Amino acid sequence: MALLDILEFPDSRLRTVAKPIKNVTPKIRQLADDMLQTMYLAPGIGLAASQVNVHQRLIVIDISEEKNQPLVMINPQIIQQEGSIESDEGCLSVPGYYEPVSRYSSIRVTALDQNGNPFEIEAEELLAICIQHELDHLDGKLFVDFISKTKRQLIRKKLLKRKKQN
Ligand code: GNR
Ligand code: NI
């Protein structure tokens, strides 16, 4: 197990579009484990490989209270979507900031699990929000792309200033 460094906005590497995973190798399984450990420690409810500077289509999620329901999704794809829900979103790559974002309230998603087996899930509310947020990371998008330019630039300025102080 290993803890991974999380890239922070406005790091341009977060804008990389991740590539599909062709083979679910032991290395990919190790990456998923390391991402889960990194996510739990942060703490967060989701993490995309893009955030740890690995530009392959892998996300991990755990929205359970007990933090005992890890979900690994490789090459996730939304195949159905409906409704809308607005909620305050945060991001481990935009630490300390929360802004309202509108998402589909209900989605169906296909993916491969850590053994390379395909599965399909229906997700609603927080799980649906989290999957859409993580999928955006794989496409180089961040929740701050959906807020006003003024707010985004303020967040950018403050995060850069904080980074300098560290
Ligand atoms: O930990 C996280 N919380 C969260 C809250 C509302 C909407 C989305 C998220 S995902 C975030 C972790 C993260 O940055 N994943 O990419
Ligand atoms: Ni995020």
Side-chain angles (χ1 to χ4, degrees), residues 11-29:
D11 194 314
S12 64
R13 291 172 290 182
L14 287 166
R15 300 312 189 173
T16 313
V17 177
K19 294 203 165 76
I21 291 172
K22 287 184 190 155
N23 294 299
V24 182
T25 58
K27 201 173 163 186
I28 293 291
R29 277 189 282 279

Side-chain angles (χ1 to χ4, degrees), residues 78-117:
I78 297 178
I79 55 163
Q80 274 184 42
Q81 48 199 43
E82 62 180 41
S84 81
I85 185 171
E86 191 185 76
S87 72
D88 276 359
E89 291 195 18
C91 181
L92 295 172
S93 297
V94 190
Y97 296 90
Y98 300 84
E99 296 292 339
V101 176
S102 181
R103 302 284 190 183
Y104 297 111
S105 54
S106 176
I107 57 176
R108 282 196 78 81
V109 189
T110 62
L112 301 178
D113 66 18
Q114 56 271 61
N115 299 312
N117 297 316

Side-chain angles (χ1 to χ4, degrees), residues 6 14 46-48 51 89-94 103 130 133-134 136-137 141-143:
I6 299 177
L14 287 166
L47 191 68
Q51 291 176 277
E89 291 195 18
C91 181
L92 295 172
S93 297
V94 190
R103 302 284 190 183
C130 192
H133 175 113
E134 303 314 335
D136 274 352
H137 277 301
K141 289 181 239 162
L142 301 171
F143 84 89

Side-chain angles (χ1 to χ4, degrees), residues 11-161:
D11 194 314
S12 64
R13 291 172 290 182
L14 287 166
R15 300 312 189 173
T16 313
V17 177
K19 294 203 165 76
I21 291 172
K22 287 184 190 155
N23 294 299
V24 182
T25 58
K27 201 173 163 186
I28 293 291
R29 277 189 282 279
Q30 183 63 56
L31 174 61
D33 282 345
D34 292 345
M35 283 172 58
L36 280 165
Q37 192 193 15
T38 303
M39 176 191 78
Y40 286 130
L41 187 80
I45 58 170
L47 191 68
S50 315
Q51 291 176 277
V52 296
N53 201 28
V54 175
H55 302 288
Q56 303 198 59
R57 303 189 79 85
L58 165 61
I59 66 178
V60 298
I61 290 178
D62 191 337
I63 60 159
S64 72
E65 204 77 42
E66 311 281 337
K67 299 291 167 205
N68 59 0
Q69 288 173 55
L71 181 60
V72 174
M73 302 184 94
I74 295 164
N75 301 337
Q77 281 189 295
I78 297 178
I79 55 163
Q80 274 184 42
Q81 48 199 43
E82 62 180 41
S84 81
I85 185 171
E86 191 185 76
S87 72
D88 276 359
E89 291 195 18
C91 181
L92 295 172
S93 297
V94 190
Y97 296 90
Y98 300 84
E99 296 292 339
V101 176
S102 181
R103 302 284 190 183
Y104 297 111
S105 54
S106 176
I107 57 176
R108 282 196 78 81
V109 189
T110 62
L112 301 178
D113 66 18
Q114 56 271 61
N115 299 312
N117 297 316
F119 68 102
E120 193 173 316
I121 57 165
E122 187 172 300
E124 289 180 328
E125 301 179 347
L126 183 59
L127 182 57
I129 291 166
C130 192
I131 292 172
Q132 289 167 82
H133 175 113
E134 303 314 335
L135 264 164
D136 274 352
H137 277 301
L138 299 183
D139 290 326
K141 289 181 239 162
L142 301 171
F143 84 89
V144 292
D145 301 343
F146 309 126
I147 67 177
S148 75
K149 187 171 181 183
T150 315
K151 275 186 185 165
R152 184 168 56 253
Q153 286 180 330
L154 187 64
I155 292 172
R156 183 179 179 277
K157 207 176 83 183
K158 287 182 172 168
L159 283 175
L160 285 172
K161 189 172 169 184

